[in-house]
């Protein structure tokens, strides 16, 4: 049948099982929005307050479900406003498809009104991108975009469509989506046998889990693997929930704000088994000193990650769920009692602690954990509150912590929380923000209200840019350059002005009461939680130091 380009866009979205898109209309994309209006009973459109919010919402939708998230924007500034969200998804391997519309083909390259080469702009931050100048190629291009976004190591794909192409007609024939298979082509028996030999010879193995284990759905295989090799487990920020954070073998996060147990344990192990991790600088600390007494076995779907940031002893390249399944099939149960006892003694000696009095970030996160029974989808912005949320909420399941790990995007959380709440209407979504981050995209409170989303926005408000201030305090002789937010912004009034409920809390008792009200509410609630401006994230590894040099507040006091 003959369809316009705009109609083809909608039909292709329906082919791919898309039920929700996030976006903001404009002149160049009007034809697509007109068709979207006609299909509003099949595809829900969430109008965000800003295109960046739309890209983060698509990201949150994707992270919380494993499906491809979709965002829409018009040409020029509409398209460029997606860039931060696309880059965030790229750094954390999140499958999103961004559809933008540009000026007509005859106007391209002529500095036309609201023209931008968005394909050129986003080339370094997408798995692939397209500008479709021929309507006959539009359907197959959109189908390919979804396939690429999901395949192997997931990531964002952008499709840019000139306005005249959305109006032109061509023959359209529906197709079933391509079934994306797990990436197993590079898994060799030789690599598996090398891995098995390293595992069987190890006396002090340690398992380090990253976001790849979440993406591949490898949690059950991972649990079986850990039980078989009898090893402790730590994770990266992106790996939260891949291994049950309440399991006795779990020792917490590794790296700059990792636990002493994980940092000491990895520094003492004789085999580090890295599963779906990219060895970021925040994990490694001083790369030359990282696990330098251990052999390192890396399991990852992306060959580009092998030996990129740290040289490994051996690797198996492929989907980590598939790799773990094949290793489990050949592994007999092992026992490392002395090693496990040693690590468990570290856990007992070096628990995460915080000041027992007053309202603080760690207390807030622990109380949220208790009151949600560990079953919420937690979302964060970036900074001290992000680390506290990683440290003090125990993630038993994957896809329950959504946070910007690679790009560290302030302003990510509220948009992502909207996407997650839309995708998971029966779950409680909580976004933890600092006051600095909340300011960046707090306009999305209006979106949450319009969509009647019962998400809870917790603002941990210390009236400073907390993480930067912490570095200034520790490493810049307390020169607080541009990090003090000494103005009169009232987040409670702001929330109420946008139609949400706003509650200010200053004590533990007030927080418990306010959070219970928020849980009972069916509408968005903003909690403005006032804490001390000098609270810090502990433990910490100084820049350039080895992770074994991790220190906490007591260590500084004892110097």
């Amino acid at each position: 049948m003959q369809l316009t380009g705009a109609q083809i866009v909608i039909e292709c979205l329906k082919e791919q099982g898309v039920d929700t898109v996030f976006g903001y209309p404009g002149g160049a994309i009007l034809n697509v929005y007109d068709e979207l209006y006609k299909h509003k009973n099949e595809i829900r459109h969430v109008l965000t307050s800003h295109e960046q919010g739309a890209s983060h919402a698509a990201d949150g939708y994707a992270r919380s479900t494993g499906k491809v998230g979709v965002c829409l924007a018009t040409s020029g500034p509409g398209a460029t406003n997606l860039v931060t969200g696309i880059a965030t998804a790229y750094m954390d391997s999140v499958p999103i498809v961004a559809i933008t519309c540009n000026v007509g083909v005859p106007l391209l390259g002529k500095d036309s009104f609201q023209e931008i080469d968005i394909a050129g702009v986003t080339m370094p931050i997408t798995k692939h991108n397209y500008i479709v100048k021929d309507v006959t190629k539009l359907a197959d291009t959109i189908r390919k975009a979804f396939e690429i976004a999901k395949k192997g190591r997931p990531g964002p794909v952008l499709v840019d469509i000139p306005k005249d192409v959305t109006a032109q007609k061509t023959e359209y024939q529906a197709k079933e989506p391509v079934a994306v298979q797990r990436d197993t082509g590079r898994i060799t028996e030789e690599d598996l046998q090398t891995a098995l030999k390293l595992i069987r010879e190890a006396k002090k193995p340690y398992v380090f889990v990253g976001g790849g284990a979440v993406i591949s759905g490898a949690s059950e295989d991972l649990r079986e693997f850990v039980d078989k090799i009898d090893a402790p487990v730590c994770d990266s920020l992106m790996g939260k929930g891949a291994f049950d954070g309440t399991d006795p073998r779990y020792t917490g996060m590794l790296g700059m704000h990792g636990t002493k147990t994980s940092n000491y344990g990895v520094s003492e192990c004789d085999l580090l088994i890295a599963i779906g991790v990219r060895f970021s600088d925040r994990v490694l600390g001083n790369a030359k000193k990282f696990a330098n007494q251990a052999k390192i076995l890396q399991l990852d779907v992306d060959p580009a990650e092998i030996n990129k940031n740290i040289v490994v002893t051996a690797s198996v390249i492929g989907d980590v769920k598939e790799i773990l399944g094949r290793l489990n099939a050949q592994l007999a149960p092992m026992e490392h009692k002395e090693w496990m006892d040693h690590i468990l003694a570290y856990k007992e000696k070096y628990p995460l602690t915080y000041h027992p009095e007053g309202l603080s970030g760690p207390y807030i996160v622990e109380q949220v954990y208790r009151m949600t029974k560990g079953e919420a989808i937690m979302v964060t912005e970036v900074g001290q509150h992000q680390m506290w949320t990683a440290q003090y909420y125990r993630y038993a399941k994957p896809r329950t912590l959504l946070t910007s790990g690679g790009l560290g995007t302030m302003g990510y959380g509220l948009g992502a929380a909207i996407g997650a709440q839309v995708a998971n209407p029966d779950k409680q979504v909580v976004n933890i923000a600092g006051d600095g981050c909340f300011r960046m995209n707090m306009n999305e409170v209006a979106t949450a209200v319009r969509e009647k989303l019962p998400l809870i926005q917790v603002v941990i408000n210390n009236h400073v840019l907390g993480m930067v201030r912490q570095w200034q305090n520790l490493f810049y002789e307390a020169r607080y350059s541009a990090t003090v937010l000494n103005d009169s912004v009232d987040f409670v009034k702001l929330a109420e002005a946008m139609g949400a409920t706003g509650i200010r809390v200053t004590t533990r008792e007030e927080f418990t009461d306010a959070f219970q009200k928020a849980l009972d509410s069916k509408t968005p609630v903003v909690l403005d939680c006032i804490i001390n401006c000098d609270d810090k994230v502990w433990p910490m590894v100084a820049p350039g130091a080895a992770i074994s040099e991790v220190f906490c507040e007591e260590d500084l006091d004892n110097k």
Side-chain angles (χ1 to χ4, degrees), residues 329-349:
Q330 299 187 59
L331 278 170
M334 306 168 72
E335 186 177 344
H336 300 104
K337 185 177 185 307
E338 185 178 345
W339 171 238
M340 282 303 307
D341 287 346
H342 177 67
I343 296 301
L344 292 175
Y346 272 156
K347 277 186 71 173
E348 188 172 339
K349 185 177 181 181

Side-chain angles (χ1 to χ4, degrees), residues 216-235:
S216 69
S219 292
E220 286 302 312
D221 305 86
L222 175 62
R223 180 196 53 75
E224 181 182 348
F225 177 76
V226 169
D227 285 347
K228 280 197 169 186
I229 69 170
D230 190 27
V233 182
C234 62
D235 54 20

Side-chain angles (χ1 to χ4, degrees), residues 167-489:
Q168 293 163 3
K169 286 190 172 184
T170 191
E171 190 67 23
Y172 166 79
Q173 187 173 356
K175 291 184 179 179
E176 285 292 318
V178 173
V180 176
Q181 303 297 323
R182 292 187 179 275
D183 193 337
T184 60
R186 294 185 179 93
I187 303 175
T188 68
E189 190 59 31
E190 181 181 357
D191 287 345
L192 289 172
Q193 291 305 318
T194 301
L196 288 164
K197 185 173 186 294
L198 288 171
I199 293 166
R200 288 166 180 151
E201 291 177 350
K203 304 297 183 188
K204 299 186 291 181
Y206 219 113
V207 176
F208 173 36
V209 182
V214 173
I215 292 166
S216 69
S219 292
E220 286 302 312
D221 305 86
L222 175 62
R223 180 196 53 75
E224 181 182 348
F225 177 76
V226 169
D227 285 347
K228 280 197 169 186
I229 69 170
D230 190 27
V233 182
C234 62
D235 54 20
S236 69
L237 179 64
M238 303 311 300
K240 291 288 175 185
F243 187 80
D244 185 349
T246 66
D247 190 286
R249 297 183 189 278
Y250 178 70
T251 63
M253 197 160 59
L254 179 68
M256 178 173 283
H257 292 295
T259 63
K260 283 190 173 184
T261 302
S262 293
N263 284 2
Y264 289 161
V266 166
S267 299
E268 296 173 9
C269 72
D270 62 4
L271 176 65
L272 181 63
I273 304 167
I275 303 173
V277 304
R278 60 186 181 86
F279 290 113
S280 78
D281 55 299
R282 289 297 174 101
V283 161
L284 293 178
N286 186 324
K288 292 180 180 178
K289 297 180 180 179
F290 178 79
N292 56 5
Q293 78 305 318
K295 295 177 180 178
I296 300 177
L297 169 62
Q298 187 173 2
L299 315 180
D300 203 279
V301 74
D302 188 354
E305 290 299 336
I306 309 302
N307 297 323
K308 184 177 83 174
N309 294 332
I310 197 161
V311 176
V312 300
T313 309
S315 63
V316 186
I317 299 169
D319 181 273
V320 295
K321 176 179 172 63
E322 183 69 23
I323 294 170
L324 289 172
R326 296 189 191 187
L327 292 175
N328 287 339
Q330 299 187 59
L331 278 170
M334 306 168 72
E335 186 177 344
H336 300 104
K337 185 177 185 307
E338 185 178 345
W339 171 238
M340 282 303 307
D341 287 346
H342 177 67
I343 296 301
L344 292 175
Y346 272 156
K347 277 186 71 173
E348 188 172 339
K349 185 177 181 181
Y350 300 117
L352 288 171
T353 59
Y354 56 91
H355 292 295
E357 297 89 23
L359 190 65
S360 66
Y363 173 82
I364 288 169
V365 174
E366 277 201 334
Q367 190 67 350
V368 170
Y369 176 76
R370 286 189 285 265
M371 295 181 71
T372 60
K373 300 180 174 62
E375 295 175 354
I377 294 177
M378 299 295 291
V379 191
T380 81
E381 306 286 349
V382 171
Q384 288 181 314
H385 64 276
Q386 178 188 33
M387 294 298 101
W388 288 324
T389 306
Q391 291 173 328
Y392 289 95
Y393 200 99
R394 288 179 284 175
Y395 301 91
K397 297 176 182 177
R399 303 193 181 280
T400 52
L401 173 62
L402 317 182
T403 189
S404 174
L407 197 63
T409 305
M410 294 176 69
Y412 164 82
L414 185 49
I418 288 169
Q421 190 71 83
V422 168
N424 302 272
D426 297 328
K427 294 185 179 180
Q428 181 62 63
V429 176
V430 180
N431 183 46
I432 307 288
D435 49 318
C437 289
F438 183 59
R439 291 162 182 258
M440 292 199 168
N441 279 336
M442 59 190 177
N443 50 358
E444 297 302 341
V445 170
T447 305
V449 171
R450 186 188 310 115
E451 296 294 325
K452 298 180 173 60
L453 303 176
L455 63 83
I456 301 172
Q457 170 67 64
V458 176
V459 183
I460 297 180
N461 188 353
N462 53 11
H463 294 94
V464 295
L465 300 179
M467 187 61 88
V468 185
R469 180 186 175 90
Q470 177 167 332
W471 280 52
Q472 289 172 332
N473 180 272
L474 294 173
F475 309 119
Y476 290 85
E477 298 177 338
R479 293 187 294 273
Y480 299 125
S481 176
T483 52
V484 179
L485 305 177
N486 55 349
D487 51 33
S488 301
V489 176

Side-chain angles (χ1 to χ4, degrees), residues 487-509:
D487 51 33
S488 301
V489 176
D490 187 326
F491 293 141
V492 171
K493 289 181 179 178
L494 184 141
E496 292 171 346
M498 288 193 279
T501 300
I503 306 173
R504 181 169 294 109
V505 298
T506 59
T507 67
R508 293 183 172 191
E509 294 75 20

Side-chain angles (χ1 to χ4, degrees), residues 21 41 54 67 69 98 100 110 112 128 138 163 183 190 201 303 317 330 404 463-464 522 526:
V21 296
N41 293 329
K67 302 177 183 177
T100 57
K110 297 183 178 180
S112 304
H128 200 77
L138 180 58
K163 185 174 183 179
D183 193 337
E190 181 181 357
E201 291 177 350
I317 299 169
Q330 299 187 59
S404 174
H463 294 94
V464 295
K522 302 301 180 186
V526 177

